[in-house]
């Protein structure tokens, strides 16, 4: 029997719908399960022992009034024997509230409706009451959005038609991020189980006549990551020796630790003893099928065997540079216009006006369509670029320049190449003009200015310690006061390094090769270091 997860998408939940915009936290792990585009699985503990369930989940998403979104999950699960079954339908309503400064938003989710029936070994667990309240704060930055949330919930089951009552109290918190090169969310939660017989009599250690208690702790991670991989061409007689590939893959993993009553069988009769405990750990993991995309292969003759060749080629594949002349000019100084264009194209600046869907939500809601399709709410209208979101992996512009978009500066016009990137960088307060009316597109960028722009985009300036900060460079005294914290943070994150002699040369103009290396290192920080912090480190701390 072919396994498939069916997704009915009334409206698409990527990172751009009103109620679940970029920075959304997944509701699926609230049940303790994980999924890919084919399978869903979870462990249930209603019997006092772990039971592994697998099957399908159907997701329906619709926009409500104002900034609300309704998400419905329909689960149809069974164990390996096919005799034990779980049928569950949950509906969540999420409301987003935006702060006036547009930098933060809160998303409050309430369990609006739930039905659930579980049958294990002929015993029936019927949900009679279910509640869950979740609130998430999203801190928005031009390149990365960070979010953190908490929730509390409760389920009450009627066991075997009033033979007993099982109460499951749940609480948890989540922490995560998303950006153009990946996303990761780690959720931790605790379920406290309490079973009580309805008519307690003489306890005979039967699972349904004896009270018992248990605790189950979960650590669940959902991640999606894009990697840039080089593929070499084997033939000798070929016009290009190889090229870069974007590979995107989602993963979900769960670590479960439980403390439950001891249970055994004597003379084929199950017995349970709440004084003796059964403690163990379980793990689940799934990955999605990888998606690949070949990048454009440049032909810059002046970077062959150059130390920055791989950096330049990777960014060129992402359409960060124009290649009209066939020459890159690695030792030439980079202009403000070229840096803005490469920054927006590769790191993925979010347009405040357009949809912010970026990377497929393959981990939290698997197998959704490609990002970029605008959800249609009641009486809503689609923006001109709703089906053309920016995609840093392919260089597709997120928000196409429209004739009505005025230039924020007198010296850069909509007809100029790179206008849209400058407009986005300015709108998101990454780059300011040299005056109120001039951007100075062909002005040169210093090394300390470039470091400041990178850290500003990441939103991590507060990682610098309070007070006066020192960098490890010999020319630390030459760093301008306004750039000191950014250089400290960028150096700590491994995004920038000094030269072979230990100098950073903050006042010198940055070359095009150095700019390429800086931006690739920023991408690698997003791809690997950030994911390690939010996934590997947090799961190891569990």
């Amino acid at each position: 029997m072919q396994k498939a997860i069916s997704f009915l998408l009334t409206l698409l939940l990527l990172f751009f719908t009103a109620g679940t915009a970029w920075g959304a936290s997944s509701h699926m792990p609230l049940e303790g399960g994980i999924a890919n585009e084919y399978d869903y699985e979870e462990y249930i503990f209603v019997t006092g022992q772990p039971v592994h369930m697998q099957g399908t989940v159907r997701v329906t998403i619709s926009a409500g009034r104002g900034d609300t979104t309704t998400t419905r999950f329909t689960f149809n699960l069974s164990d390996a024997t096919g005799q034990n079954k779980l049928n569950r339908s949950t509906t969540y309503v999420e409301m987003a509230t935006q702060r006036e400064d547009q930098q933060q938003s809160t998303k409050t989710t309430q369990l609006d409706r739930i039905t659930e029936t579980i049958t294990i070994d002929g015993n029936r667990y019927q949900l009679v009451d279910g509640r869950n309240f979740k609130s998430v704060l999203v801190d928005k930055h031009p390149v990365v959005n960070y979010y953190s949330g908490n929730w509390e919930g409760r389920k009450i089951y009627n066991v075997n038609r009033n033979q007993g009552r099982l109460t499951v109290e749940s609480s948890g918190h989540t922490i995560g991020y998303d950006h153009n090169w990946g996303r990761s969310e780690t959720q931790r939660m605790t379920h406290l189980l309490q079973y009580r017989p309805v008519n307690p009599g003489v306890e005979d250690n039967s699972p349904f006549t004896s009270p018992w208690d248990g605790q189950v702790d979960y650590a669940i991670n959902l991640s999606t990551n894009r990697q840039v991989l080089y593929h070499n061409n084997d033939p000798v007689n070929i016009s290009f020796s190889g090229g870069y590939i974007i590979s995107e893959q989602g993963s979900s993993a769960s670590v479960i630790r439980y403390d439950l009553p001891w249970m055994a069988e004597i003379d084929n009769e199950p017995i349970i003893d709440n004084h003796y405990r059964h403690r163990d750990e379980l793990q689940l993991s799934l990955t999605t099928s990888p998606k690949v995309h070949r990048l454009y292969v440049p032909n810059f003759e002046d970077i062959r065997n150059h130390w920055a060749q791989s950096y330049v080629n990777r960014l060129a594949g992402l359409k960060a540079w124009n290649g009209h002349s066939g020459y890159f000019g690695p030792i030439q100084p980079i202009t403000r216009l070229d840096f803005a264009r490469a920054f927006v194209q590769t790191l993925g600046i979010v347009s405040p006006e357009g949809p912010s869907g970026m990377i497929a939500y393959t981990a939290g809601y698997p197998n959704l369509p490609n990002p970029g399709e605008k959800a249609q709410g009641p009486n809503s209208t689609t923006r001109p670029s709703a089906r053309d979101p920016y995609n840093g992996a392919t260089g597709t512009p997120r928000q196409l320049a429209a004739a009505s978009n005025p230039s924020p500066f007198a010296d850069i016009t909509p007809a100029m190449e790179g206008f849209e990137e400058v407009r986005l960088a300015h709108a998101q307060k990454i780059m300011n003009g040299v005056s109120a009316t001039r951007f100075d597109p062909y002005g040169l960028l210093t090394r300390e200015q470039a470091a400041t722009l990178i850290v500003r985009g990441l939103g991590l300036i507060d990682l610098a310690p309070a007070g006066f900060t020192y960098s490890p460079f010999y020319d630390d005294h030459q760093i301008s006061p306004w750039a000191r914290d950014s250089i400290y943070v960028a150096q700590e994150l491994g995004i920038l390094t000094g030269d072979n002699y230990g100098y950073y040369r903050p006042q010198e103009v940055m070359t095009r090769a150095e700019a390429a290396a800086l931006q690739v290192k920023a991408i690698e920080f997003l791809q690997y270091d950030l994911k390690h912090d939010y996934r590997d480190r947090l799961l190891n701390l569990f």
Side-chain angles (χ1 to χ4, degrees):
M1 178 178 177
Q2 184 179 5
K3 295 181 179 178
I5 293 182
S6 174
F7 291 92
L8 173 60
L9 298 174
T10 309
L11 297 167
L12 302 181
L13 176 66
L14 294 171
F15 294 115
F16 46 84
T17 57
T20 51
W22 197 41
S25 171
S26 174
H27 307 317
M28 185 180 294
L30 295 179
E31 302 293 346
I34 63 172
N36 62 12
E37 65 268 58
Y38 305 111
D39 301 302
Y40 174 86
E41 54 185 294
E42 68 176 79
Y43 278 95
I44 60 174
F45 298 86
V46 294
T47 65
Q49 293 295 297
V51 180
H52 185 215
M53 309 292 280
Q54 292 178 292
T56 65
V57 57
R58 179 183 177 93
V59 184
T60 305
I61 302 152
S62 58
R65 296 180 179 274
D67 290 336
T68 64
T69 300
T70 299
T71 306
R72 181 181 179 184
F73 298 91
T74 304
F75 301 84
N76 293 290
L77 311 177
S78 63
D79 69 351
T81 68
Q83 301 300 312
N84 300 318
K85 298 182 181 297
L86 181 154
N87 296 293
R88 178 196 301 134
S89 176
T90 59
T91 302
Y92 296 94
V93 176
E94 181 180 79
M95 174 176 290
T97 304
Q98 192 79 13
R99 270 183 46 165
E100 292 183 1
D101 60 10
Q102 303 296 309
Q103 297 302 311
Q104 292 184 349
S105 65
T106 58
K107 299 166 188 276
T108 302
T109 304
Q110 179 175 338
L111 180 60
D112 184 62
R113 190 178 300 110
I114 182 170
T115 60
E116 184 175 338
T117 302
I118 304 173
T119 304
I120 304 291
D121 296 332
N123 299 293
R124 182 182 176 90
Y125 300 79
Q126 181 69 52
L127 186 71
V128 295
D129 186 70
R131 303 173 188 273
N132 194 290
F133 299 90
K134 179 180 179 181
S135 184
V136 176
L137 173 69
V138 182
D139 192 27
K140 303 178 180 181
H141 295 276
V143 173
V144 189
N145 281 1
Y146 307 91
Y147 56 91
S148 177
N150 300 81
W151 68 87
E152 300 285 342
R154 183 186 65 200
K155 286 183 176 181
I156 298 177
Y157 296 88
N158 185 322
V159 182
N160 286 336
R161 298 181 179 180
N162 295 323
Q163 185 177 9
R165 172 170 141 161
L166 175 66
T167 302
V168 181
E169 302 280 353
S170 64
S171 62
H173 65 275
T174 186
I175 192 80
Y177 69 84
D178 49 49
H179 51 69
N180 196 48
W181 290 95
R183 72 180 310 274
S184 187
E185 176 180 4
T186 296
Q187 300 191 1
R188 293 184 183 176
M189 63 180 173
T190 296
H191 287 179
L192 299 177
L193 296 85
Q194 182 186 74
Y195 174 79
R196 295 295 181 265
V198 173
N199 297 309
V202 178
E203 296 183 14
D204 58 3
N205 288 334
S206 166
F208 299 106
T209 62
S210 301
W212 58 266
D213 302 274
Q215 177 172 328
V216 183
D217 296 306
Y218 299 82
I220 301 174
N221 178 267
L222 311 175
S223 293
T224 308
N225 193 47
R226 278 177 172 160
Q227 292 182 308
V228 183
L229 307 173
Y230 186 82
H231 181 79
N232 187 62
N233 290 333
D234 293 330
V236 175
N237 300 310
I238 189 170
S239 61
F240 61 102
S241 59
Y244 287 96
I245 301 171
I246 292 287
S247 175
E248 177 183 325
Q249 187 172 34
S251 65
S252 53
S254 177
V255 180
I256 308 165
R257 293 176 182 160
Y258 60 84
D259 182 343
L260 298 168
W262 180 80
M263 185 177 290
E265 283 192 6
I266 297 180
D267 296 330
N268 294 324
E269 292 293 330
I271 64 170
I272 192 168
D273 192 328
N274 202 37
H275 298 93
Y276 295 93
R277 310 303 293 175
H278 178 203
R279 300 180 179 92
D280 206 346
E281 177 178 299
L282 302 167
Q283 295 186 8
L284 296 171
S285 65
L286 291 170
T287 59
T288 65
S289 177
K291 301 176 183 179
V292 295
H293 177 83
R294 286 298 297 250
L295 299 183
Y296 158 75
V297 178
N299 185 26
F300 295 131
E301 298 180 11
D302 56 347
I303 63 167
R304 294 173 185 171
N305 299 320
H306 192 277
W307 66 266
Q309 180 177 359
S310 65
Y311 300 132
V312 173
N313 284 342
R314 268 182 275 183
L315 295 193
L318 301 173
K319 302 181 181 178
W321 323 107
N322 62 58
H324 303 314
S325 66
Y327 291 90
F328 177 71
I331 64 173
Q332 297 298 315
I334 191 160
T335 65
R336 289 166 51 84
L337 176 64
D338 283 347
F339 192 90
R341 183 169 188 256
F343 190 109
V344 172
Q345 291 279 36
T346 59
L347 294 178
I349 299 294
V350 178
S351 170
E353 303 163 1
S356 53
M358 304 179 82
I359 191 167
Y361 204 177
T362 54
Y365 296 98
N367 200 33
L368 291 184
N370 291 329
E373 298 191 20
K374 173 68 175 176
Q376 295 296 313
N379 301 320
S380 67
T381 57
T382 305
R383 296 184 179 92
S385 61
R387 294 188 177 275
D388 293 288
Y390 177 81
N391 184 324
T394 61
T396 305
R398 176 183 291 110
Q399 178 86 3
L400 297 180
S404 60
N405 283 341
S407 174
F409 303 105
D411 56 352
I412 184 167
T413 66
M416 294 176 60
E417 187 173 13
F419 162 77
E420 186 63 19
E421 287 82 359
V422 170
R423 190 183 69 82
L424 290 178
H426 177 259
Q428 289 289 28
K429 301 179 181 179
I430 291 294
M431 296 185 72
N432 299 318
V434 296
S435 70
T437 60
R438 292 182 60 247
F439 180 72
D440 191 19
Y442 303 112
L444 306 182
L445 203 70
T446 66
R447 291 167 57 83
E448 64 179 4
Q449 288 172 338
T452 300
L453 298 180
I454 293 291
V455 174
R456 188 181 296 165
L458 297 176
L460 295 178
I461 189 64
D462 288 341
L463 294 184
F468 192 85
T469 57
Y470 291 92
S471 71
F473 305 116
Y474 291 135
D475 52 357
D476 175 81
H477 61 282
Q478 295 182 8
I479 299 174
S480 300
W482 52 265
R484 184 165 292 278
D485 285 352
S486 295
I487 290 178
Y488 173 88
V489 171
Q491 184 272 330
E492 286 290 309
L493 298 178
I495 295 174
L496 63 81
T497 57
D499 60 22
N500 294 332
Y501 303 100
Y503 293 89
Y504 181 64
R505 299 175 281 114
Q507 305 292 334
E508 291 188 14
V509 172
M510 175 166 277
T511 67
R512 289 168 61 84
E514 291 170 339
L518 179 67
Q519 296 200 23
V520 168
K521 289 179 180 179
I523 292 173
E524 291 175 344
F525 167 77
L526 296 173
Q527 291 174 315
Y528 306 112
D529 299 75
L530 208 56
K531 183 178 71 173
H532 174 79
D533 190 17
Y534 280 73
R535 185 187 68 176
D536 304 336
R537 191 179 69 85
L538 292 183
L539 289 180
N540 288 336
L541 289 176
F542 177 65

